[in-house]
Amino acid sequence: MERAAVFDVDGTLVDTNHLHVTAWWEAFRQAGHDVSMHAVHRAVGLGSDDLIAHLLGDGRDTGEDDTISAAHKALYGTYFERLPPLPAAGDLLRRLDRDGWAVVLATSAGGPELGALRRAIDADDVIRATASSDDVNAGKPAPEPVEHALELVGALAEHSVFVGDTVWDMRAGARAGVRCVGLLCGGIPRADLEEAGASAVYRDPAHLLASLSGSPLAPRG
């Protein structure tokens, strides 16, 4: 039976959260909505539909949702050729693969966006599979994206770990029954990640890589 190391991507392996904040803020502004960047930042990690609903509420004109989402997609797309990986992101995935983990991505990104993220990570040779929110009925914080990631590689939850940078990641992983590792590089405070389910927290992929021996992703010994 495989053991999976499941990774969120935005803010966890690629330094994109604040690019998303800027793109969403401008998309909302173009639609006539004054949404603070702080509020947008706290919502990053949700799928597009859920993010819009979270920030504008149930009383919004839902007919605007597709326009806002499309504007965000177009604005964010201008960064595709220069998305910056977080420190040692690719090295971490390659080390885990050598240690016997099945490395899986769990992300709401797809199409050209996912391609740009994978180019930034530069570790396609060790990524076994990618689970997208498009493949499930409910995105994070529901457990389905993590559960689908485990199914793709035939791994059990109790043998697996989910690494992410938002409270939505931690809640999804906890509900799926996997151990959760939080990273601070997405800008969410340690206390919030721990409250949402993180059993360990590290600064970024480089810090996790340097701390593997004492982490939930420690090599079998």
Side-chain angles (χ1 to χ4, degrees), residues 65-84:
D65 288 8
D66 287 347
T67 299
I68 295 171
S69 182
H72 162 263
K73 190 172 184 178
L75 290 160
Y76 180 63
T78 64
Y79 299 110
F80 279 1
E81 299 310 313
R82 55 190 190 279
L83 297 180

Side-chain angles (χ1 to χ4, degrees), residues 104-116:
V104 190
L105 305 182
T107 176
S108 59
E113 180 181 351
L114 178 58

Side-chain angles (χ1 to χ4, degrees), residues 27-180:
F28 284 121
R29 190 198 66 80
Q30 290 178 6
H33 298 287
D34 182 14
V35 181
S36 73
M37 289 196 181
H38 174 74
V40 175
H41 181 216
R42 300 290 296 189
V44 167
L46 294 171
S48 294
D49 292 344
D50 292 333
L51 182 145
I52 294 169
H54 180 76
L55 291 171
L56 298 185
D58 293 336
R60 73 191 185 283
D61 176 4
T62 57
E64 292 183 331
D65 288 8
D66 287 347
T67 299
I68 295 171
S69 182
H72 162 263
K73 190 172 184 178
L75 290 160
Y76 180 63
T78 64
Y79 299 110
F80 279 1
E81 299 310 313
R82 55 190 190 279
L83 297 180
L86 282 153
D91 292 339
L92 173 61
L93 301 191
R94 282 186 282 271
R95 168 63 186 275
L96 292 172
D97 177 71
R98 290 197 301 272
D99 287 345
W101 293 88
V103 176
V104 190
L105 305 182
T107 176
S108 59
E113 180 181 351
L114 178 58
L117 291 166
R118 293 183 69 139
R119 287 195 299 275
I121 299 166
D122 192 25
D124 271 357
D125 53 318
V126 299
I127 296 171
R128 298 271 196 97
T130 300
S132 169
S133 61
D134 293 338
D135 302 325
V136 296
N137 292 325
K140 293 178 281 190
E144 282 89 337
V146 179
E147 292 169 344
H148 182 54
L150 300 180
E151 291 169 0
L152 288 174
V153 293
L156 293 176
E158 56 265 35
H159 296 163
S160 300
V161 177
F162 181 42
V163 184
D165 68 294
T166 70
V167 296
W168 318 113
D169 293 327
M170 300 301 99
R171 290 175 185 171
R175 291 169 182 171
V178 303
R179 293 189 71 183
C180 297

Side-chain angles (χ1 to χ4, degrees), residues 170 174 179-183 190 192-201:
M170 300 301 99
R179 293 189 71 183
C180 297
V181 170
L183 299 185
R190 175 187 297 269
D192 291 7
L193 296 173
E194 290 175 340
E195 183 180 356
S199 61
V201 178

